[in-house]
Amino acid sequence: MIRDLHNVRLRPPEAAAAPLTDEEERRFRAVLFSELGNEIADHGSARFPAYTPEDRRRLVDVAHRLTAHWGQQVFVEAEDLTRLRLYLARYEERPQALPTRT
């Protein structure tokens, strides 16, 4: 059986998702503040994907809010093109020494 589709249009491939409303943005940042804050408090650091410049701005803002809330610096570091790491100073990953040969 063949079905005809009426009024169906393809979306252009460059069409981007609509930006968040102010209320959605506020709620999303509150969730990030809570979830990433708990992760950092438990483990000293947290990793989160950041695919767009807006994602990165959000995470930097969350780090600033956590810094103000805790009274200690929360640092932000890009791990690669798609992920940021938020961490406390005492949990900064130090380069590991090369193994010595015996």
Side-chain angles (χ1 to χ4, degrees), residues 5-97:
L5 299 175
H6 299 282
N7 296 327
V8 175
R9 287 175 266 148
L10 295 175
R11 291 181 65 189
E14 67 276 352
L20 299 177
T21 65
D22 290 340
E23 178 65 19
E24 291 169 335
E25 184 70 31
R26 187 189 64 71
R27 287 181 179 196
F28 186 45
R29 287 179 188 236
V31 168
L32 287 175
F33 179 83
S34 174
E35 295 296 321
L36 294 177
N38 289 339
E39 178 85 11
I40 294 168
D42 292 344
H43 304 290
S45 69
R47 291 171 170 81
F48 200 80
Y51 299 108
T52 66
E54 182 58 35
D55 291 338
R56 290 185 275 283
R57 280 191 288 274
R58 247 183 230 119
L59 292 172
V60 169
D61 179 60
V62 167
H64 289 294
R65 288 180 55 207
L66 287 169
T67 295
H69 182 71
W70 288 336
Q72 58 180 318
Q73 182 71 39
V74 176
F75 296 94
V76 180
E77 174 183 72
E79 288 193 322
D80 56 31
L81 293 175
T82 61
R83 185 176 20 200
L84 292 180
R85 178 174 171 256
L86 285 68
Y87 63 93
L88 298 172
R90 63 181 177 266
Y91 292 98
E92 183 175 6
E93 291 181 355
R94 308 234 190 276
Q96 294 185 4

